[in-house]
Amino acid sequence: MRQISVLGSTGSIGTQTLQVVRNNKDIHVAALAAGSNVDLIEQQIREFRPELAVLWEEKKAEELKLRVADLDVKVSWGMEGLIEAASIPAAETVVTAVVGMIGIRPTIAAIEAGKDIALANKETLVTAGHLIIPLAKEKGVKILPVDSEHSAIFQCLQGERGNHIDKILLTASGGPFRGWTLEQMKKVQLEDALRHPNWTMGHKITIDSSTMVNKGLEVMEAKWLFGVDIDRIQVLVQPQSVIHSAVQFDDGAVIAQLGTPDMKLPIQYALYYPERRYLPGDRLDFGKLAKITFEDPDPVNFPGLALALRAGRTGGSLPTVFNAANERAVAMFLKKEIGYLDIARIIEEAMDAHKVIAHPDLNQILQTEQETYDFIAAR
Ligand code: NDP
Ligand code: MG
């Protein structure tokens, strides 16, 4: 039986990963890791019987330990625990579904331990792609994309080895504020931003989708995953979320992957690659599908996308500043400490204030993250 480790098991991607495991019944979960959700991880431990369970907070881990004392499971906590879960000997694949840069060190540990990575945690690739991609090559491990657009691109590239990618067409739903005026955007409340038209996701990525910062992160993610220059990646708004992304080749052929919006498809594809398994759920009905429409992203209302492209083109430590500033600004917006349009403003201020390090190592990335948080706290 194949074994996996799931980092971020209680979140949107984590729970859907476990749903895929539940449907298939031929994968064993060796380790589960989450932040603080004791109730849900306890249920997951009782159902999936991992050897190791990890919570970020020590106190919560102590509580969990008492609750599962009747079971044969080790409970760990903190970064050490996450790294232990990422490198657990039994697992062949690690699903990285934690949110944010906290994923960098566990992802590196998993690759060093020779695990394939089913990668959802895009912030890790955005900030440390220049370390992770060469390391994965060196260790001979696969990075299998879970993000739906990147899974789509990956699927379009099957059988195309050696063929040059002319252009990646990275699709975006446009989020809940597509077509709004700037006046309307100024009045956006938290509740509005948490309402995504097509996907149900964790809070952070839902806000990122509404600002299109998510698409900016995805451009950088695609650059690393597929070795394509930023200028060959075109963001295309496709509001019905039917085309999950496409690749244009040198002969002009465009290959796209289509489907209903269901994250279980990319998750299952990453877990069983290259095999395709039956997945329960709705199928696209082209007879009922009235239309698929396209538009360019609006650069005025969604400045986060242009800032991401700037960070991606500059490279070095600037993507870390972009990402860390966004993580902090979104956390502040979720606590209603800042307004909606302040998110992009804070990112831009942090980027303008930063002196770029061309080839940051892991310590410099983590230091840049901390400096960005300090900069935002002091403003
Ligand atoms: P959620 O917020 O739903 O879940 C995040 C998970 O990470 C939870 O299990 C949470 O635990 C855990 N976590 C948070 N902080 C820590 C920590 N310090 N240590 C250990 N675990 C922690 O996020 P999503 O599932 O939406 O997103 C996860 C990643 O996948 C993100 O990088 C996102 O960009 C990416 N992604 C998500 C998609 C989606 O459809 N949701 C689509 C494509 C990519 P707890 O519950 O205990 O807080
Ligand atoms: Mg995506």
Side-chain angles (χ1 to χ4, degrees):
M1 195 177 265
R2 301 211 10 246
Q3 305 217 31
I4 64 169
S5 168
V6 185
L7 312 183
S9 66
T10 53
S12 162
I13 295 291
T15 51
Q16 292 181 87
T17 300
L18 294 176
Q19 186 59 45
V20 168
V21 171
R22 202 177 275 129
N23 291 346
N24 282 284
K25 301 187 175 62
D26 60 354
I27 290 181
H28 180 251
V29 181
L32 292 168
S36 59
N37 191 340
V38 185
D39 288 340
L40 185 51
I41 203 168
E42 181 189 351
Q43 281 177 34
Q44 294 177 341
I45 295 168
R46 294 195 180 280
E47 180 177 356
F48 294 98
R49 298 301 169 101
E51 301 164 33
L52 174 68
V54 177
L55 285 176
W56 180 253
E57 292 176 30
E58 185 181 8
K59 270 205 182 123
K60 300 275 181 181
E62 293 299 336
E63 185 187 339
L64 180 65
K65 208 178 271 182
L66 293 176
R67 289 211 207 170
V68 294
D70 59 315
L71 300 176
D72 187 16
V73 56
K74 179 179 175 193
V75 178
S76 300
W77 60 275
M79 183 52 77
E80 253 175 58
L82 271 178
I83 289 177
E84 195 182 348
S87 47
I88 190 164
E92 291 114 42
T93 303
V94 176
V95 181
T96 60
V98 292
V99 58
M101 286 179 71
I102 196 92
I104 296 181
R105 289 180 60 200
T107 305
I108 290 178
I111 298 172
E112 277 175 343
K115 318 290 186 197
D116 289 335
I117 308 293
L119 185 137
N121 177 225
K122 64 190 87 182
E123 297 90 346
T124 282
L125 215 48
V126 166
T127 55
H130 61 292
L131 305 177
I132 284 170
I133 296 297
L135 184 65
K137 285 216 174 91
E138 183 195 324
K139 300 286 175 191
V141 307
K142 296 190 202 70
I143 308 271
L144 300 153
V146 166
D147 208 347
S148 58
E149 296 79 359
H150 305 73
S151 174
I153 296 161
F154 184 63
Q155 292 175 59
C156 295
L157 290 173
Q158 295 306 307
E160 298 289 351
R161 184 168 299 184
N163 284 334
H164 178 251
I165 298 173
D166 181 39
K167 188 158 107 177
I168 285 178
L169 294 146
L170 188 72
T171 53
S173 71
F177 309 131
R178 184 178 61 88
W180 283 33
T181 64
L182 198 53
E183 280 313 303
Q184 285 175 300
M185 299 282 287
K186 284 182 186 157
K187 297 185 194 126
V188 166
Q189 297 298 309
L190 176 59
E191 295 70 22
D192 307 320
L194 285 176
R195 235 174 273 128
H196 193 278
N198 304 338
W199 299 93
T200 311
M201 309 177 284
H203 279 180
K204 192 247 175 192
I205 187 176
T206 303
I207 303 298
D208 288 354
S209 297
S210 78
T211 57
M212 291 199 77
V213 161
N214 180 53
K215 212 45 58 179
L217 294 170
E218 290 185 354
V219 170
M220 292 188 260
E221 185 186 10
K223 166 189 144 165
W224 289 117
L225 283 172
F226 307 111
V228 171
D229 280 353
I230 297 272
D231 293 320
R232 287 189 185 270
I233 304 172
Q234 180 187 348
V235 174
L236 195 58
V237 175
Q238 197 281 276
Q240 299 82 17
S241 293
V242 168
I243 300 181
H244 296 316
S245 276
V247 178
Q248 179 175 303
F249 293 94
D250 281 343
D251 59 359
V254 178
I255 312 268
Q257 188 252 329
L258 286 68
T260 52
D262 181 354
M263 284 308 297
K264 289 193 291 307
L265 191 154
I267 293 168
Q268 180 169 282
Y269 190 71
L271 291 182
Y272 287 100
Y273 172 78
E275 188 188 345
R276 285 189 188 274
R277 293 239 171 145
Y278 175 73
L279 182 70
D282 294 341
R283 299 295 185 255
L284 271 187
D285 183 341
F286 285 92
K288 289 204 184 114
L289 194 69
K291 57 184 180 188
I292 304 177
T293 57
F294 303 95
E295 47 194 89
D296 287 327
D298 169 354
V300 177
N301 281 6
F302 303 100
L305 181 56
L307 290 168
L309 297 180
R310 178 180 139 202
R313 282 194 191 100
T314 306
S317 54
L318 203 56
T320 295
V321 177
F322 173 86
N323 180 72
N326 179 60
E327 283 189 23
R328 187 47 52 94
V330 169
M332 290 160 79
F333 177 68
L334 286 170
K335 284 191 251 159
K336 303 196 176 185
E337 291 170 3
I338 58 169
Y340 185 71
L341 296 180
D342 293 331
I343 298 174
R345 207 168 292 141
I346 288 174
I347 299 173
E348 186 166 19
E349 283 175 22
M351 284 171 67
D352 288 346
H354 178 70
K355 196 164 171 306
V356 176
I357 307 165
H359 302 286
D361 61 19
L362 179 56
N363 282 334
Q364 287 170 316
I365 291 170
L366 298 175
Q367 203 179 326
T368 301
E369 177 191 23
Q370 190 55 51
E371 283 167 12
T372 304
Y373 295 157
D374 294 345
F375 171 83
I376 294 171
R379 65 186 270 289

